């Protein structure tokens, strides 16, 4: 069995499998070149040959143990009928069809495949072209995190508009989360049918929720998504990433049914090993070290490997690699983890 799958089945390996969040991206010159060729980020996502190419680039260059589908969490709201565009140097923008925040104007969940078909085609191509020992990871944004972008129409420092919506119109917000949960189940199942061997749920803004809201809008949807996938594809593990959830990581790991939990860099590993038994742990190097490199990087990587020895562990960062990271530092990291 492939290394990543062995770890997600509870095995502790002497040398942990390693991949990096956002491993295909702007820090790689070959990515920037393909992105220019595509014309725009969204063209890149929706052109299967090019999305396949950028997914493979970090595998060819570094020999990671897993490849993550090249796509974006915001393609799901786009498939539900929102306008999506990217402002150069700023980030994503989303606009509602018709009236402001009118859930009734969204397209039905069973129509998302009309937009997302090329993404499944990318997965199919990758499952044929990846080296035999590399695991293919599919993904989606978790409902809460996707909702934060839908509510604000863009990225925000504090997720204010979505947090406010929870109080202003609780039933409307719950309805939005239900729609996104159903869409996420459909989207991930299609990725699995196309060849994804593991799926990851990115709840990047989970840390903005109160404990009550975290249970309702992060844990409950994750549990429904995991159950729906387990019912149809029992051998496909789900990795959950409730970023910055703090002590709530424990309840998330215990009650959602995920087989892997991705830890951000604030989580102490000795605490996580005790508090999150029965799941594989992924993480949690500070992404800043990929900018810094050298001894600081090697020492921190070795501390993480040491702290996780004897436990099922997937080496990764605590969040995505940034555009100012250096590919040479990725080489240094692989050396430190593998030797
Ligand atoms: O200009 C460019 O080339 C676009 C930069 C970029 C890239 C490379 C964006 C825009 N998305 C992606 C790819 C991407 N996004 C992947 C696949 C590639 C890989 O991991 O190697 C994945 C898994 C994501 C997931 C994603 N998109 C998340 C969750 C993970 C995280 O980093 O927290 C989020 C929050 C997004 C939204 C998004 N898409 C892009 C940007 C710049 C953002 C963040 C916007 C913001 O909050 O301001």
């Amino acid at each position: 069995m492939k290394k990543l799958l062995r770890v997600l089945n509870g095995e502790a390996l002497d040398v942990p499998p390693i991949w990096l969040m956002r491993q295909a991206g702007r820090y790689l010159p070959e990515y920037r070149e393909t992105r220019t060729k595509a014309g725009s980020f969204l063209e890149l996502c929706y052109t299967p040959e090019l999305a396949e190419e950028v997914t493979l680039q970090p595998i060819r260059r570094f020999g990671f143990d897993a490849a993550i589908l090249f796509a974006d969490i915001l393609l799901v709201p786009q498939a539900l009928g929102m306008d999506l565009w990217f402002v150069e140097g700023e980030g994503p923008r989303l606009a509602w069809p018709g009236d402001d925040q009118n859930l009734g104007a969204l397209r039905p969940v069973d129509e998302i495949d009309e937009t997302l078909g090329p993404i499944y085609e990318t997965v199919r191509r990758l499952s044929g072209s990846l080296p035999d020992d590399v695991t293919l990871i599919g993904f989606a944004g978790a409902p809460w995190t996707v909702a934060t972008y839908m509510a604000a129409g863009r990225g925000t420092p504090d997720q204010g508009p979505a947090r406010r919506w929870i109080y202003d119109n609780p039933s409307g917000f719950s309805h939005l989360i239900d729609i996104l949960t159903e869409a996420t189940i459909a989207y991930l199942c299609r990725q699995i049918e196309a060849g994804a061997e593991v799926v990851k749920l990115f709840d990047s803004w989970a840390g903005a929720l109160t404990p009550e809201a975290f249970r309702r809008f992060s844990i409950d949807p994750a549990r429904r998504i995991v159950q729906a996938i387990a019912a149809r594809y029992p051998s496909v593990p789900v990795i959950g990433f409730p970023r910055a959830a703090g002590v709530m990581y424990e309840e998330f790991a215990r009650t959602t049914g995920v087989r892997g939990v991705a830890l951000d860099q604030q989580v102490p590993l000795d605490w996580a090993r005790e508090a999150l038994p029965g799941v594989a742990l992924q993480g949690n190097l500070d992404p800043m070290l990929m900018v810094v490199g050298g001894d600081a990087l090697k020492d921190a990587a070795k501390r993480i490997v040491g702290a996780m020895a004897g436990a099922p562990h997937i080496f990764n960062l605590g969040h995505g690699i940034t555009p100012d990271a250096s590919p040479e530092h990725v080489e240094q990291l692989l050396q430190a983890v593998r030797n």
Side-chain angles (χ1 to χ4, degrees):
M1 204 192 280
K2 299 181 190 187
K3 283 176 89 179
L4 200 85
L5 294 171
R6 284 167 64 191
V7 172
L8 287 165
N9 280 312
E11 215 180 309
L13 302 182
D14 288 340
V15 177
I18 175 170
W19 68 282
L20 303 183
M21 281 187 254
R22 291 277 176 101
Q23 64 191 16
R26 286 166 290 178
Y27 75 107
L28 289 179
E30 59 268 38
Y31 170 84
R32 295 195 297 268
E33 200 176 301
T34 312
R35 163 97 154 63
T36 304
K37 194 162 126 196
S40 73
F41 172 67
L42 284 174
E43 272 305 311
L44 182 50
C45 291
Y46 287 117
T47 309
E49 310 83 74
L50 298 182
E52 175 194 25
E53 165 60 22
V54 293
T55 305
L56 292 171
Q57 284 168 352
I59 306 302
R60 279 192 214 115
R61 192 194 259 257
F62 303 117
F64 287 122
D65 295 292
I68 183 158
L69 163 69
F70 190 85
D72 197 77
I73 67 165
L74 301 177
L75 304 185
V76 167
Q78 186 184 33
L80 286 169
M82 291 190 79
D83 279 333
L84 171 67
W85 67 103
F86 283 80
V87 178
E88 206 58 54
E90 286 188 35
R93 297 288 184 277
L94 285 158
W96 287 79
D99 291 346
D100 217 26
Q101 299 191 353
N102 176 7
L103 298 182
L106 295 177
R107 296 171 73 188
V109 168
D110 61 13
E111 288 178 15
I112 61 172
D113 288 350
E114 287 170 28
T115 303
L116 298 171
I119 309 306
Y120 312 136
E121 177 58 22
T122 304
V123 176
R124 261 189 299 279
R125 296 175 70 105
L126 282 164
S127 76
S129 58
L130 274 173
D132 285 343
D133 53 351
V134 177
T135 305
L136 180 54
I137 304 175
F139 75 92
W144 159 251
T145 287
V146 173
T148 66
Y149 290 94
M150 293 173 78
R154 59 190 298 162
T156 48
D158 64 353
Q159 296 72 55
R163 287 165 52 218
R164 177 167 186 149
W165 190 346
I166 293 175
Y167 296 108
D168 281 349
N169 181 359
S171 66
F173 191 74
S174 290
H175 185 209
L176 172 60
I177 292 291
D178 285 343
I179 292 169
L180 290 171
T181 301
E182 290 311 313
T184 304
I185 290 169
Y187 183 44
L188 290 177
C189 283
R190 292 298 302 271
Q191 291 183 33
I192 293 167
E193 283 157 26
E197 300 168 284
V198 171
V199 292
K200 181 166 172 185
L201 205 49
F202 284 92
D203 213 350
S204 302
W205 299 119
L209 292 163
T210 63
E212 295 72 28
F214 182 78
R215 290 189 181 107
R216 193 122 180 249
F217 301 122
S218 181
I219 289 184
D220 282 353
R223 188 195 299 120
R224 283 165 59 195
I225 292 163
V226 170
Q227 276 174 358
I229 290 171
R232 288 171 66 180
Y233 310 102
S235 67
V236 175
V238 179
I239 300 175
F241 181 37
R243 191 170 74 87
V247 296
M248 295 307 285
Y249 259 111
E250 186 275 328
E251 196 169 318
F252 184 94
R254 180 162 48 80
T255 62
T256 55
V258 294
R259 302 247 292 273
V261 173
L263 305 172
D264 61 73
Q265 64 269 21
Q266 280 88 23
V267 179
L269 292 178
D270 52 353
W271 174 81
R273 277 188 77 156
E274 259 188 40
L276 282 52
V279 294
L281 299 178
Q282 177 181 288
N284 71 345
L285 188 79
D286 184 354
M288 183 54 76
L289 288 167
M290 304 314 297
V291 180
V292 173
D295 286 343
L297 167 63
K298 288 179 226 163
D299 292 349
K302 289 193 166 141
R303 262 200 311 279
I304 290 173
V305 172
M308 292 307 296
H313 177 223
I314 300 162
F315 198 100
N316 207 308
L317 306 178
H319 198 194
I321 190 167
T322 50
D324 54 346
S326 144
E328 266 166 59
H329 298 159
V330 177
E331 296 284 2
Q332 293 175 1
L333 172 64
L334 282 159
Q335 281 268 332
V337 171
R338 287 181 170 164
N339 303 319

